[in-house]
Amino acid sequence: MNIPARIAEKLPLLSARPSLQGFPNIGFVPFLNQKRKFGVGFPKKMVWSLDNCDVDVENKLGVVRPATELYSEEAVEALKTGKVIAVPTDTLYGFACDACSLEAINRIYEIKGRKHTSPLAICVGDASDIKQFAVTDHLPHGLLDSLLPGPVTVVLRRGESSALEKSLNPGLDSVGVRVPDCNFIRVIAHGLGRAVALTSANLSGQPSSVCIKDFEALWEHCAYVYDGGVLPSGRAGSTVVDLSRLGKYKILRPGSAKEETVTILEKHSLVEEVTTN
């Protein structure tokens, strides 16, 4: 099995407040409702708001917070000190930590009961940040900005100049990268200033989580659990596409946005890679 296919098989069905000029208010002002540069967006069914947030959820451990601007600095500080937090994305709830903290990464594997041979994806604040961690210069101009932010994981080669720690997914020369259409996790990634390791908030092999109640038994292992309400996109997770080859794409997992993703890829003249036996 080639490396990108291994990633897709295992990939989860997922300082001070940053000053971001031109960046929307934190919270859940959906990016999908804002003007996209390249005109192809994703369905409104993938958008949610904090109106669905269960602010009265039972919080015996005192770890549950609403996923709002008020708590973004707290979340960043938790990551900087090697803690694991739970966050909403535009698809599923995920466990997040500093991708440069080997201790925190090991903690995520322990929480999930996940084998260390199963790679983790990373999350960054903007599509323009991806080039720090993966090879993007072979991609058509504007492709990543058309796909992201959105419910898509792009698989790319790490390359020799990647800022990722060698301890993240050792032995693999590819990495899955996300820019979720979710203000809260994106601002956290900006505030951290490094890649955020991201995986689904569930026990390995169990159903993914679309609300914090789904993984309540795991709250005790998190520094904080940020509640963004019930996520409407179902449990399919992000669409995973391998973009590591020049002019080619390969859908590794259909996920929740395959049709829209393929439309964008073909608009940028990429052709589907056909696997031959």
Side-chain angles (χ1 to χ4, degrees), residues 49-98:
S49 76
L50 277 175
D51 292 340
N52 296 323
C53 181
D54 187 1
V55 293
D56 294 323
V57 70
E58 189 174 6
N59 188 13
K60 294 178 181 179
L61 301 175
V63 298
V64 177
R65 309 279 196 274
T68 63
E69 179 177 8
L70 181 63
Y71 296 98
S72 61
E73 292 182 20
E74 171 189 80
V76 170
E77 289 305 315
L79 295 187
K80 286 185 174 182
T81 56
K83 301 295 194 304
V84 173
I85 61 175
V87 295
T89 71
D90 54 353
T91 53
L92 304 167
Y93 276 85
F95 292 133
C97 74
D98 182 352

Side-chain angles (χ1 to χ4, degrees), residues 5 16 25 50 56 65-66 83 97 106 108 120 135 172 175 197 224 258:
N25 289 335
L50 277 175
D56 294 323
R65 309 279 196 274
K83 301 295 194 304
C97 74
N106 287 338
I108 280 185
L120 299 179
V135 178
L172 295 181
V175 62
Y224 302 107
K258 178 184 176 181

Side-chain angles (χ1 to χ4, degrees), residues 6-28:
R6 286 173 57 195
I7 291 178
E9 179 181 342
K10 302 296 185 179
L11 202 63
L13 290 180
L14 176 184
S15 85
R17 178 179 303 165
S19 177
L20 306 175
Q21 185 176 1
F23 199 80
N25 289 335
I26 307 172
F28 288 91

Side-chain angles (χ1 to χ4, degrees), residues 21 24 55 60 119 147 152 156 179 189 209-210 224 259-260 262 275:
Q21 185 176 1
V55 293
K60 294 178 181 179
L147 288 170
V152 180
L156 296 163
V179 184
S209 301
V210 296
Y224 302 107
E259 182 179 346
E260 297 86 350
V262 169
T275 303

Side-chain angles (χ1 to χ4, degrees), residues 232-255:
S233 63
R235 300 181 192 273
S238 63
T239 296
V240 182
V241 57
D242 178 10
L243 297 178
S244 61
R245 294 188 60 190
L246 178 65
K248 304 284 186 179
Y249 76 87
K250 184 175 182 180
I251 300 295
L252 301 179
R253 185 178 70 205

